[in-house]
Amino acid sequence: MITCIDTDLLRAASLLKNSEVVAIPTETVYGLAANGFDAQAVDKIFKVKERPSFNPLILHFPCKKSAMQVVDSCPSWAEQLMNDFWPGPLTLVLPKKSNVPSIVTAGKNTVAVRVPQHRVMLQLLQMLEFPLAAPSANLFGRTSPTKPEHVFQDLKGRISYILDGGNCACGIESTIIGVGENQEPVLLRPGALDVQLLENSIGKINSYTVKHTHPIAPGMMDQHYAPSTPAFLVDDVSDYLTAKAHLKLGILSFESREKLDGLEMRALSEKCDLKEAACNLYARFRELDVLDLDIILFEKVPHEGIGVAINDKLTRASKSEVELQNFLKNELSITGRKPL
Ligand code: TXA
Ligand code: MG
């Protein structure tokens, strides 16, 4: 199959109406979309992505009114969030109506809904009579795409069309809020929309704490966003820089640092800006991942605002501290060099 990247909305709409999958732009990351009311079309998303079917999908709508067609009941705080933050990078998980195919929700009685804030995506949604089910347009477990070329790298030959909407403005996935046992709002996934802003609108939002073996938002699974190169999250990269003698080392820091010989250094932000850092995050993962490095060290970003979501992604893309120590020990026995 030949994979095209282009800006033809009519072509994208016509493929989707014919139960095909199409990669589409959103303000967060690129999605792999299909008719959310057509179980066979949605099944193709899981096949193309190699995504396990227990992981439910988000339904994307052009407006709040259309999203309400699939929602059975909605606490008043959720309605408030829709009014204040849609269109935007906010997903709400709410009790579903029976018109949602169970493949979309992985058999759950809730559905994830979102009105995205991307001009091209909104135009496309307005041309369709159904919502678009769409996970991020990457192979399962890999880094989410924030440019059309990223989608092409992962899915070429697997899909026929990538609708080009430029680079994603946010660069990390939407923030997900669900309903707790007492009908209260619960943060299921930190993301592009700062939780503080949501709290300014509706009051305190607690984070979901893991009580079950199956996470209620499987995006919270470990290792979900990982580059293929082993990556480790550290407080201060300077502690590890002596490793450069025998390891091909990549560094991903928040701000630009002084360049060090023999190291591949990348910064998330030129201007010490967390929004810019979020926007660049996945592109930097990909840049470092093709350099054939032995390891990548991530440095934590300031833990405030969307820095919380960025640190969450960095943590999930990293191996544990124990694995880092083991990794370094094994490397040393291979190279016979001095311990760090
Ligand atoms: O920004 C985004 O949210 C992007 C763009 C394309 O909209 N989409 C995205 O989709 O990140 P995905 O599939 O990679 O992540 C959706 C998350 C998953 O962690 C899934 O488990 C959770 O939403 N989710 C979906 N339906 C759910 C439900 N009924 N209950 C709990 N979690 C749900
Ligand atoms: Mg994803």
Side-chain angles (χ1 to χ4, degrees), residues 49 51 135-136 138 144 173 189 224-225:
K49 271 198 72 143
R51 175 171 169 126
S136 50
N138 50 285
S144 302
E173 291 84 350
R189 179 176 75 178
H224 195 65
Y225 306 91

Side-chain angles (χ1 to χ4, degrees), residues 26 28-31 49 51 55-58 60 91 93 105 108 110-112 114 134-136 172-174 176 188-189 216-220:
T26 82
T28 57
V29 299
Y30 271 75
K49 271 198 72 143
R51 175 171 169 126
N55 200 351
L57 305 176
I58 299 172
H60 299 73
T91 296
V93 173
T105 60
K108 287 170 180 289
T110 51
V111 61
R114 162 162 130 79
S136 50
I172 56 173
E173 291 84 350
S174 60
I176 307 184
L188 299 182
R189 179 176 75 178
I216 65 175
M220 304 177 88

Side-chain angles (χ1 to χ4, degrees), residues 25-41:
T26 82
E27 77 280 31
T28 57
V29 299
Y30 271 75
L32 184 63
N35 177 349
F37 286 157
D38 176 345
Q40 279 173 2

Side-chain angles (χ1 to χ4, degrees), residues 58-337:
I58 299 172
L59 287 181
H60 299 73
F61 293 87
C63 62
K64 174 183 158 194
K65 189 164 165 237
S66 56
M68 283 301 198
Q69 289 164 16
V70 299
V71 173
D72 192 44
S73 63
C74 183
S76 57
W77 56 258
E79 192 145 4
Q80 181 77 40
L81 291 181
M82 293 175 182
N83 293 337
D84 290 354
F85 297 98
W86 278 358
L90 171 70
T91 296
L92 294 165
V93 173
L94 298 167
K96 68 159 200 152
K97 283 209 178 119
S98 59
N99 55 357
V100 184
S102 69
I103 188 171
V104 170
T105 60
K108 287 170 180 289
N109 53 11
T110 51
V111 61
V113 290
R114 162 162 130 79
V115 177
Q117 187 177 38
H118 189 292
R119 189 179 47 83
V120 173
M121 175 64 163
L122 282 172
Q123 278 176 331
L124 178 64
L125 286 166
Q126 279 152 8
M127 292 163 75
L128 303 170
E129 268 151 25
F130 47 81
L132 290 177
S136 50
N138 50 285
L139 290 175
F140 177 70
R142 302 296 295 279
T143 306
S144 302
T146 56
K147 301 167 192 272
E149 307 83 73
H150 293 164
V151 181
F152 188 80
Q153 283 161 15
D154 268 23
L155 301 182
K156 63 173 175 292
R158 293 176 181 242
I159 57 174
S160 62
Y161 204 63
I162 300 170
L163 182 62
D164 188 346
N167 295 352
C168 301
C170 300
I172 56 173
E173 291 84 350
S174 60
T175 302
I176 307 184
I177 305 287
V179 184
E181 271 169 24
N182 302 311
Q183 298 301 305
E184 79 284 11
V186 180
L187 175 66
L188 299 182
R189 179 176 75 178
L193 192 57
D194 181 357
V195 177
Q196 185 63 57
L197 294 176
L198 302 176
E199 290 187 328
N200 291 348
S201 154
I202 59 161
K204 180 81 186 135
I205 302 174
N206 288 319
S207 291
Y208 174 74
T209 48
V210 183
K211 294 181 230 144
H212 308 96
T213 42
H214 277 287
I216 65 175
M220 304 177 88
M221 285 188 295
D222 286 337
Q223 288 289 314
H224 195 65
Y225 306 91
S228 324
T229 313
F232 301 94
L233 181 62
V234 298
D235 288 320
D236 184 353
V237 290
S238 331
D239 296 345
Y240 295 86
L241 294 185
T242 47
K244 71 176 193 278
H246 60 279
L247 288 176
K248 272 164 70 187
L249 189 60
I251 305 275
L252 184 61
S253 55
F254 174 46
E255 331 157 33
S256 324
R257 288 172 150 255
E258 200 180 322
K259 197 140 175 49
L260 292 166
D261 277 352
L263 290 183
E264 287 293 346
M265 315 230 341
R266 297 286 185 285
L268 287 174
S269 168
E270 296 303 320
K271 294 175 286 183
C272 275
D273 175 51
L274 285 167
K275 277 215 161 124
E276 187 192 1
C279 185
N280 287 329
L281 182 70
Y282 292 142
R284 295 288 182 271
F285 279 12
R286 284 174 184 263
E287 281 165 39
L288 286 163
D289 215 13
V290 296
L291 295 176
D292 195 28
L293 300 167
D294 293 313
I295 69 172
I296 303 171
L297 295 182
F298 298 147
E299 195 170 45
K300 285 191 182 133
V301 305
H303 205 69
E304 64 200 30
I306 59 163
V308 176
I310 298 173
N311 283 334
D312 179 71
K313 308 291 176 208
L314 288 171
T315 307
R316 285 174 205 288
S318 302
K319 302 197 177 298
S320 68
E321 174 68 28
V322 176
E323 284 173 284
L324 171 60
Q325 294 311 332
N326 284 342
F327 185 89
L328 293 175
K329 252 188 249 151
N330 289 338
E331 279 303 312
L332 294 169
S333 62
I334 295 163
T335 59
R337 297 206 191 213

